[in-house]
């Protein structure tokens, strides 16, 4: 089927080129005066080149060469991937990854989705957004853990039909962490004091410049516990495992082989093995194309402006997504 599609694409390109040659010859050689005839051949050749490119793009849209879309999730997961206007993202942008999966779902040729995971996890809601996008994909979805598939990365994998890993892949960390910096002693040494102007008993719970009370600690631990319960339920549903088996992992990480033994991974293999599995699922030879973010300079400018505006409105300590009043929650 792929060979037949290639012939059809070639036919489309050839047809577009032939039409362009005929039009170019008439417009630039036959009709114009003597001066135009001198440059007519050059213009015809230029027209052919442009037409070939247009025809190739049209053929790719009408008869795609691929049948599997690959989307990568690499690095810490945040809403916008970090980085700045002039610097590249430092991790996985959830918004970009979701956009890539949605484009793959709309793509005429993508019959299956290959989600390459190499991430230690990250922010909770952005990780869930990627998982939900994978669940919505209309076709088989196979996740492949390369080096690390932990925490939020494993949350994403739970939204796929299968999870593969290498023997040495690090898999697991099904847990949640809430953290804060205690800078009270440092502030005292610097002669700084903390004054609060709040409405609501727990509004400044976790603020770094004051000691946390037992009630505040219990309150914040309750939020972490709720996040953990949600995580366990998500993995249990996605992996078809019982809650207790997941809790017994105690948020530990495992090498791929042990993760497979525990049922956290469906199979162990190389990238070629994963493609063989996809071939069996879609019933034809696999041709993979990688989908990449479409966000350009204007998107990066908007992201940078949003971070600056938020910094002024909420304080620089809260500009890292998922942080609230000095607290950081991560999967």
């Amino acid at each position: 089927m792929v060979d037949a599609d290639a012939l059809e694409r070639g036919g489309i390109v050839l047809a577009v080129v032939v039409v362009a040659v005929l039009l170019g010859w008439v417009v630039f050689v036959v009709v114009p005066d003597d001066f135009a005839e001198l440059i007519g051949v050059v213009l015809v050749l230029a027209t052919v080149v442009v037409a070939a490119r247009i025809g190739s793009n049209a053929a790719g849209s009408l008869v795609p060469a691929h049948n599997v879309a690959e989307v990568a999730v690499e690095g810490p997961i945040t809403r916008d991937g970090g980085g700045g206007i002039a610097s590249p993202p430092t991790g996985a942008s959830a918004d970009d990854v979701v956009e890539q999966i949605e484009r793959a779902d709309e793509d005429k040729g993508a019959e299956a989705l290959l989600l390459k995971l190499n991430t230690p996890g990250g922010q909770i809601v952005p990780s869930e957004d990627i998982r939900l996008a994978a669940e919505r994909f209309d076709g088989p979805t196979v996740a492949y853990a390369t080096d690390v598939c932990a925490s939020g990365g494993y949350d994403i994998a739970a939204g796929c039909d299968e999870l593969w890993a290498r023997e040495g892949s690090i898999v697991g960390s099904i847990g949640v962490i809430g953290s804060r910096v205690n800078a009270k002693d440092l502030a005292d040494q610097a002669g700084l004091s903390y004054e609060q102007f709040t409405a609501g008993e727990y509004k400044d719970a976790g603020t770094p410049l004051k000691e946390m009370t037992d009630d505040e600690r219990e309150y914040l631990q309750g939020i972490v516990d709720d996040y953990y319960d949600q995580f366990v339920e998500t993995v249990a549903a996605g992996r078809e495992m019982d809650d207790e088996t997941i809790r017994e992992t105690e948020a530990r990480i495992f090498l791929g082989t042990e993760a497979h033994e525990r049922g956290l991974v469906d199979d162990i293999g190389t990238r070629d093995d994963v493609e063989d599995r996809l071939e069996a699922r879609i019933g034809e030879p696999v041709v993979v194309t990688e989908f990449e973010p479409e966000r350009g300079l204007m998107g990066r400018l908007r992201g940078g402006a949003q971070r600056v505006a938020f910094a002024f409105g909420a304080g620089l300590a809260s500009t890292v997504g998922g942080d609230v009043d000095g607290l950081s929650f991560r999967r």
Side-chain angles (χ1 to χ4, degrees), residues 73-243:
V73 182
E74 298 182 300
I77 301 166
T78 62
R79 175 60 61 196
D80 60 8
I85 295 174
S87 60
T90 56
S93 163
D95 289 344
D96 284 348
V97 174
V98 169
E99 181 266 333
Q100 291 167 64
I101 295 175
E102 289 176 347
R103 275 197 291 121
D105 197 18
E106 297 171 356
D107 186 84
K108 180 180 178 182
E111 299 178 27
L113 174 66
L114 173 60
L115 203 58
K116 184 172 70 174
L117 301 175
N118 183 17
T119 172
Q123 295 173 3
I124 293 173
V125 176
S127 300
E128 290 184 342
D129 285 348
I130 299 175
R131 171 178 57 81
L132 292 172
E135 288 179 352
R136 290 193 297 266
F137 183 85
D138 185 17
T141 55
V142 176
Y144 176 47
T146 56
D147 300 336
V148 180
C149 176
S151 204
Y154 195 83
D155 184 2
I156 294 169
C160 298
D161 298 329
E162 295 183 32
L163 171 60
W164 286 61
R166 301 292 296 272
E167 292 181 353
S169 299
I170 294 176
V171 179
S173 189
I174 306 172
V176 178
I177 182 171
S179 61
R180 67 183 284 267
V181 174
N182 188 343
K184 175 76 167 57
D185 292 342
L186 181 62
D188 290 343
Q189 293 174 15
L192 300 175
S193 61
Y194 171 74
E195 293 185 63
Q196 67 173 15
F197 300 91
T198 61
E201 182 178 356
Y202 294 101
K203 177 56 183 173
D204 66 343
T207 299
L209 296 179
K210 75 179 188 69
E211 293 289 349
M212 189 181 296
T213 66
D214 290 341
D215 285 346
E216 289 173 338
R217 186 171 285 104
E218 182 179 356
Y219 156 66
L220 294 173
Q221 182 61 52
I223 294 176
V224 173
D225 291 341
D226 288 344
Y227 273 136
Y228 178 60
D229 290 341
Q230 293 175 7
F231 196 2
V232 170
E233 291 174 6
T234 296
V235 173
R239 298 288 306 163
E240 298 183 350
M241 302 172 66
D242 61 87
D243 290 10

